[in-house]
Amino acid sequence: MVRFVVMAAGLASRMGRDKLALPWKETTVLGYVLQTVLEAIKLQEHNSPQCRIEVHVVSRQPIGAYVSDEGITEFERYGGIWHDAPSSRPLAETIRIGLQNLKKEVHSLAFLPGDQVGITVQDLSGCLDVVLRSFPDFLVPIAGDKAGSPVFFHKRYLPELLELQGEQGGKVVLNRYPDRWYKYPVEESLFCDVDTPEQYEALSANM
């Protein structure tokens, strides 16, 4: 089993408002990312009916701020868990919230920023396929010499992830073991996210 943790509890100080609630296509920024995750899971389950994947979202607002009623139904149908974190949380704390109550069947942990609108169903499904077949220590999407998200960690690194402090993220653990990475090739556009009003306007114009 794989646990996805969608990270959506940051302050978004460069945007000046909750960027995850901004309109994106037919939904919101976070709604689109979550929709993409669910579509990738659906595709993976079609190809491999025995696979099991769960989704946890750590967010500053309730799900209704980002997702339509229809989307909420779909999220719940896949057993999604929404963790409310009303105040902004340091990255390490967001990780700990997303890793609560792990089932013993979980073998891999995946982390995805809630504003990564460049994510695609095909790439996400491809990453899942590798993880579910070969259980790598780490799966890291790579575009040229640039690494990005989502990153998958084998459960054996859970103690190190839980020891992170403050704004330390999974990269701290990841960078201790560069020789253990499974590098998954992607286009750099996969890493596209929303950080500033100017970036959001530019990306929206090209939707």
Side-chain angles (χ1 to χ4, degrees):
M1 179 183 287
V2 176
R3 174 176 291 193
F4 260 103
V5 180
V6 179
M7 316 283 281
L11 187 58
S13 56
R14 283 182 288 176
M15 182 62 75
R17 52 180 167 161
D18 186 358
K19 62 183 177 181
L20 302 180
L22 293 171
W24 191 266
K25 299 193 175 180
E26 288 79 35
T27 178
T28 63
V29 168
L30 179 55
Y32 177 77
V33 170
L34 186 56
Q35 177 182 304
T36 304
V37 171
L38 294 180
E39 287 295 325
I41 293 172
K42 191 182 304 183
L43 178 60
Q44 195 60 40
E45 288 181 345
H46 175 76
N47 295 334
S48 179
Q50 301 306 314
C51 78
R52 297 177 63 197
I53 304 162
E54 58 181 30
V55 182
H56 289 242
V57 180
V58 185
S59 171
R60 293 174 59 199
Q61 296 197 61
I63 188 171
Y66 307 104
V67 182
S68 67
D69 290 345
E70 182 180 352
I72 293 172
T73 300
E74 183 83 345
F75 180 72
E76 292 175 345
R77 187 166 73 83
Y78 278 88
I81 302 294
W82 197 275
H83 301 272
D84 288 321
S87 59
S88 176
R89 303 299 175 99
L91 189 53
E93 186 177 347
T94 302
I95 290 171
R96 281 193 290 274
I97 292 171
L99 296 179
Q100 294 177 41
N101 304 317
L102 277 180
K103 301 180 181 73
K104 64 179 180 180
E105 296 88 354
V106 172
H107 57 73
S108 297
L109 314 162
F111 298 93
L112 178 66
D115 66 341
Q116 191 173 323
V117 292
I119 195 71
T120 69
V121 172
Q122 292 74 22
D123 280 317
L124 203 48
S125 180
C127 291
L128 280 167
D129 186 59
V130 172
V131 169
L132 290 165
R133 283 189 294 103
S134 58
F135 314 109
D137 282 42
F138 306 95
L139 182 142
V140 186
I142 298 285
D145 59 357
K146 182 178 180 179
S149 299
V151 175
F152 293 75
F153 296 75
H154 194 279
K155 189 179 179 179
R156 66 175 59 95
Y157 299 97
L158 176 63
E160 292 179 65
L161 289 168
L162 295 178
E163 288 172 358
L164 296 171
Q165 298 294 321
E167 289 301 329
Q168 290 182 325
K171 285 183 180 179
V172 172
V173 178
L174 188 67
N175 290 335
R176 291 172 186 158
Y177 309 99
D179 57 321
R180 302 181 189 179
W181 295 12
Y182 180 102
K183 297 179 180 180
Y184 186 88
V186 298
E187 296 295 325
E188 190 169 347
S189 58
L190 182 81
F191 306 146
C192 181
D193 58 12
V194 179
D195 284 327
T196 65
E198 295 77 15
Q199 187 180 27
Y200 172 71
E201 293 300 329
L203 291 170
S204 297
N206 294 318
M207 270 195 288

